[in-house]
Amino acid sequence: MPATTENNQGSFLGRISIRRNQVLSMDGSHEQEIEDLELFQKHVGDRFSELLSSTTSDDSSGDALLSIAWLRRLLDELLCCEAEFKAVVLMGRDPSQIAKPPLDKVLPEFLDRVVKSLDVCNAVTLGLDAVRNLQRLAEIVVTALDVAPLGDGQVRRAKKALSALVAAMLHEDNVGTKGTERTRSFGRRAGNNNKTTAPIRSLSSTMARNWSAAKQIHSMMSNLAAPRGAESSGLAQPIYIMSTVLVFIMWTLIAAIPCQERNGFGTHFPLPRQFTWAQPMIALQEKIAEEWKKKEKKGNVGLLEEMHRMEKLAQSLIEFADSFQFPAETDRLDEVKKQVAELGEICKKMDQGLEPLQQQIREVFHRVVRSRTEFLVVLDQAGKLSTPTV
Amino acid sequence: MISSEKTNNSFKFSSQAFLHILDTFQMLVVECAFWVGFILTSDSIIFADMEEHKSVISTCEQDQHVVAAAQHVLKALAASKTVSDNLRKTLLDLETQLSSISMVKERQGRGIKQLERHLKCIEDKLMKWEANPSLTCDSSFNESSECLKVVGEIQTLIQSLESFSVNDKWKQKELLRRANKILEVAMQRLEEELVHILVQHKQYFEPEYMSLHSNRVNMVYGESFHSVEDEQIAEASRSSGAGQSNANIVDLVNPVVLQHLKSIANVMFGSKYHQEFCHVFVTSRRDALAEYFVILEMEKLSIEDVLKLEGKCLNREVKKWIRAMKIIVGVYLVSEKQLCKQILGDFGSFYQSCFSEISQSFMLHLLNFGGAVALGTHTPEKMFCLLDMYEVLEQLAGDVDVLFFEEVCSFVREEFHKLLRSFGETVKSTFLAFKNAIATNPSKTPFPQGGVHHVTKYVMNYISTLVEYGDTFNLLFLDESSTDPSDNKHETSAVSLCPMARQFRSITTTLESNLSNKSKLYKDEALQHIFMMNNIHYMVQKVKSSDLSHFFGDCWLRQHAAMYQQNARCYERVSWCSVLSILKDHSGPYCVSQRTLEKRCKEFCTAFGEVYRIQTGWRIPNPQLREDLQISVSLKVVLAYRSYTGRNSSNIAEKYIKYTEEDLQSYILDLFQGSPKSLNYAQHRK
C-alpha cells in the first residue's frame, strides 16, 4: 500500500511543483492557484466517495465499513490528502504569503489540531494492543473448539477464554478511568486471588491520567469553521479541508478502536454540507454514527468490524458452552463448527492486519509531525521577515 | 506393529478353536466362573509401566476372562487321562500359545482397568481442589507443584489411552473425554499457580542500583541570557556516563522459582496450552513492568502536556526520562529478555514474541516522550536537555538493536532510530538557533559600567558546557565541514580542527561582532574600549582556564589577547591623551608665564577630577586586568605630573599643586571599581 501512496504523491507533487515554478516566472499565478485548489478539493471528494462506495457495494470484495482493511484504506487516503495538501499550500511558496491574515490565525490552529491528532494516534495504538489481547483470547477459543470430538474439557477451556473475551470487550472501553480491575489469570475465581490482583494492569495500556478521547476530538473540532467570503478562495480553504479530513479520520479511529475515555463522544460534528467534497464524508459519518448509536447502550468497545463480529460469535459460543452436555447434538455442533471457523478467520485477519495498521498509524504520526515542522520553519522565516533584526 | 497383527490373528484363531472346545465341555463352566472371579479379584495392585502397553493390542475385559478360563480348561483337559496323546499335544500347544498371549493380556487388562482407577483417583483429587481452591494457590510452591505432577500424570494417562488401539472404542473415548476434562481442570489450576508464582516471586531492583548523575545538566536548562552565574558552571563538571549494559542483568523473578516456571512451561506447551501460558506470562510481566514504571515515577504525559512543560518542570521530566531510559532499556529489558529466554527458550520463537508483547507499548511510551520533547520549540536553553537525551539514546542504541533484533520487534527498533535521528536534527537546529540568537541579540541601551555583558558570559559558559558533549557534537556536525571562514589555517592541533572547534570559533566571531555593535551604543569612546576589553578578556580567560583552550588553540588565544591589549591602549589614548597634553611642555624656546603654568595645573586637576568622576563608575570586574590598567595609567599620569611639577616647581604656587603623586596614584586605584565617586570631597580634604 505505501507504494501506491507514494506513486500518487509523486506524480501529483511533481506536477504541482513544476507548474508553480513556471507560474512564478509568469504572471497569473492566482488562476493557477485556484486551479490547484479545485483539484485538491476534487481529489479529496473522490477519495472519500471511493471509501464510501466500497462499503455499499454488495459484492464481498469490498472492505466492510470500519474493518481493518477499510481503516487502512482510510489512513492511506489521509496520507495522500496530506501530501497533496502540502504541495498546494507549502511547496515553492513565499513565506510571506503564509504569514498573511487569515492564515496567520488559521494555520496555527491547524498545527494545534495536528498536535492533538498525535495524541489520538498514540491512544489508538494502545487501543490496538487491547484488540490484540482480544485476538489472543479468541485464538484460544478456536484452538479449544476446533477439535473433534468435542468434550467437556475443550468446552470448559473455551468457555474460560470466552468469558475473558466478553469481559474484556465490556471493560476495555473505559480502561484506566474507572480503574477497571481484571484478573491476571483471565479465569474464574477472581475473588480468591485478591492478594495477587492489583489495579495496575490498566496502566500498561493507558494514556495520561486525565486524557480523554472524547474531549480530544471535541477540542479538535472547536474553531473549525469554513472560511467565508474572499478567504474561501484563498489558502484558508485547503487548510480548512485538511483540518476537516484530519478531524474526521481521527474521529473515525476513535469510534472504531478501543480508546481511553469516550464518554460524551459526539457522534456528530458539523461538516460543511455546502461543499461537494464533504458529501461522501457526511454519508460515512452518518453510517458510523448510526452504528455507534446502536451499540452505545450496551457498553461499546469500539466499532471495529472484526471486533464486532467477534463479539457476536463469542456471545453465541458462550451460550453453547453454558448449555453444553456431552454428547452435543450434531446440528448444534455443525453450527459451532461454522462459528469457530469464522472466529478463526477473524483471528487470521487480525493477525495479518493489526500490525500493518499500527505501523500505518505510526506513519501518519511521523508524517504530520514532519509537515508541522516544515510549516513551523516557514512561519519562523516569515516571522523574521516581518521583524527586522537589530 | 507387524508382530502385533500376527498375534492378533493367531489369537482369533485360538479363541475360535477354544469356543468349539468349550461347547463340548460344558461341565467345566463352573470352574471357568471360578477363574473369572479369581482374575477379577487378583487385579494387580502394582501399577504397570504405561510404556509397555503401547506396543500391545488391546482387548476388553471379557476377552481376558475368556482367555484365562480357556487356559485353565485346556490345562485341565490335557491332564485328563481320557484324551489321546495327539489331542493332548494339540491341547498343550494351544495352552502354551494362549498363556504367552494371556500374560500380556493380563497385564494389559489390568492396565486399562488401572488407567480408569488412576483416572478416578485424579478426578477425586481435583474435585477436592475444586471444592477448596485455596489448597494450591495459597500453599507454598513446593506443595503446589503437586499440580504440576498431576498434570504430568494426566498427560501420560492420555498418551496411554490414545495409543491403545481399540476393540472397545466407546470405552476408550469415554476415558479420553474424562481425562481431557480433568486435564483442563488441572491446567486451569496450573495456570493459576503460574500467575501466583509470577506475581509472588517477581522482583524489582532499586533504581539506585545504577548510579545516574548528570549535574552538568543543572546549569543552562531554562536559564536565559540574564541569569547565568559562573559558579554554577564551574561545578557542572561532567560525570562519566552510566555503566556498561549487558553486564547489568538482574533477576526479575526470584531464581528459586525459575526451574519451576520452566517445568510449568514444558507441561503447558506439551499439552498445547501454550497460548494460555503466553497470555498469562505476557500479562503478568507487563503488569510488573507497569509497576516498575510507577516506581520510577514515570507518569504518562500526553504530547500536548509535554509541549506545555517549561523550564524546571520540563527539566525534571527529562531527567526522569533519562534515568528511566537507562534503567529500563539498559537493565530491565535486557533482564526481561533473558528471563523470557530462560523460560521459553526451548520453544522456538515464542520467547521473542512474548518479549515483544511485554515491552512494546512501554518502549513506545518512552519514545513518545522523547518525540514530544523533540517536537517542541527549540530555544538555545533546551540544547543541553536535548543533548542529554540524544546521548542517552545513542548510548542505548546498541542495546536496543540487540533487544529488538528480531523481526517481531523491528517496529520498536525502527521507531527508536527514527527518534535518535530526529534528536540529531533537533540538536543541530537548536545550535543554529543559538548562533542566530547571538547574532540577533538586541542592543538598544548601552550596558551599564562597560562590564562583562550577560551575553558574553552566557555564550562562553554555554560553549564550555558543550565541550562535555564533544564527541556527540563532533559526530553530529561532521558534515558541516570547513566552510567556516574563521577557520584558522595556522592551527595544526587535531582538536582545534574538529567540527566543534570550528563551530566554537564561528560562535565567538558572531559574539564579537554583536559585542562590537553593542559597544557602539556608548557615547564615550573610551568606554567602548573598556567594554570591548572587558568582554574579550573574559572570553580569553574563559578559554584559557578550561578545556576550551584545546578547541580554540594558541593562535586564537594570542590573537585575542592582543585584541584586548589593543583595546586597553586605545582606552588610554582616548581617555588620557587630552588630559596629559595639558601638562606637556609647550614652552619650546619661549618662557611661559607663571600664570599660564598655574592655570594648566588647575586645568589638569579639573580634567583629572572629571575622569575620576566618570571612570570610578566604570567597571573592570577582573582584578588583575583592572590592576594592570591602573598601573599602566598610573605610570603615565604620575610620570607626566611629576615631570611637570618638578620642572616648574619654582613657578607654581603651592596652592595650585592640589595633588601629590601619591594622591594621584591612590585616586587611580579608585577607577573601574563600579562605584562612582567625586573628587570634590577629596578637595576639601586638603
Side-chain angles (χ1 to χ4, degrees), chain A residues 119 136 143 152 188 362, chain B residues 177 188 275 303 357 415:
Chain A
D119 278 324
R136 298 270 177 266
T143 312
D152 312 300
R188 74 236 143 88
R362 206 62 192 171
Chain B
R177 195 173 63 84
Q188 210 156 313
Q275 289 160 308
I303 291 176
E357 280 189 44
E415 285 299 316

Side-chain angles (χ1 to χ4, degrees), chain A residues 116 119 122 133 136 140 143 152 157 160 184 186 188-189 203 206 326 358 362 366 372, chain B residues 130 177 184 188 191-192 272 275-276 279 287 299-300 303-304 357 360-361 368 375 415:
Chain A
K116 288 188 161 73
D119 278 324
N122 282 339
N133 183 45
R136 298 270 177 266
I140 295 177
T143 312
D152 312 300
R157 182 180 178 189
K160 186 159 70 89
R184 287 145 212 273
F186 43 95
R188 74 236 143 88
R189 279 203 237 98
L203 268 179
T206 53
F326 187 83
Q358 188 176 354
R362 206 62 192 171
H366 288 303
R372 178 181 172 271
Chain B
E130 289 255 277
R177 195 173 63 84
E184 165 58 27
Q188 210 156 313
E191 198 182 299
E192 277 161 27
K272 301 205 179 74
Q275 289 160 308
E276 273 95 342
H279 191 277
D287 289 349
E299 209 184 320
K300 295 214 172 181
I303 291 176
E304 266 191 301
E357 280 189 44
Q360 179 163 313
S361 65
N368 271 333
L375 262 184
E415 285 299 316

Side-chain angles (χ1 to χ4, degrees), chain B residues 292-323:
Chain B
Y292 198 56
F293 263 65
V294 175
I295 294 175
L296 291 177
E297 296 170 50
M298 282 301 290
E299 209 184 320
K300 295 214 172 181
L301 293 169
S302 69
I303 291 176
E304 266 191 301
D305 291 341
V306 176
L307 288 178
K308 277 178 205 150
L309 287 178
E310 269 174 33
K312 287 205 174 97
C313 288
L314 179 66
N315 192 0
R316 197 173 54 233
E317 290 301 322
V318 165
K319 277 184 184 167
K320 272 200 274 179
W321 181 84
I322 288 174
R323 176 163 163 266

Side-chain angles (χ1 to χ4, degrees), chain B residues 601 605 641 645 649 652-660 686:
Chain B
C601 203
C605 288
Y641 191 65
T645 47
S649 56
I652 304 172
E654 186 139 330
K655 68 170 180 174
Y656 288 102
I657 312 230
K658 231 171 180 180
Y659 310 124
T660 63
K686 195 83 200 179

Side-chain angles (χ1 to χ4, degrees), chain A residues 3 10 41 46-47 50 67 75 80 84 96 104 107 115 130 176 195 220-221 257 279 314 318 325 327 343 346 362:
Chain A
Q41 291 182 19
D46 289 351
R47 287 181 204 292
E50 259 174 53
S67 64
L75 291 173
C80 291
E84 263 188 50
S96 62
D104 59 340
L107 199 55
V115 170
K195 269 192 263 173
M220 280 181 83
M221 285 173 198
I257 297 168
Q279 296 312 316
I318 247 183
Q325 260 187 339
L343 196 59
I346 295 173
R362 206 62 192 171

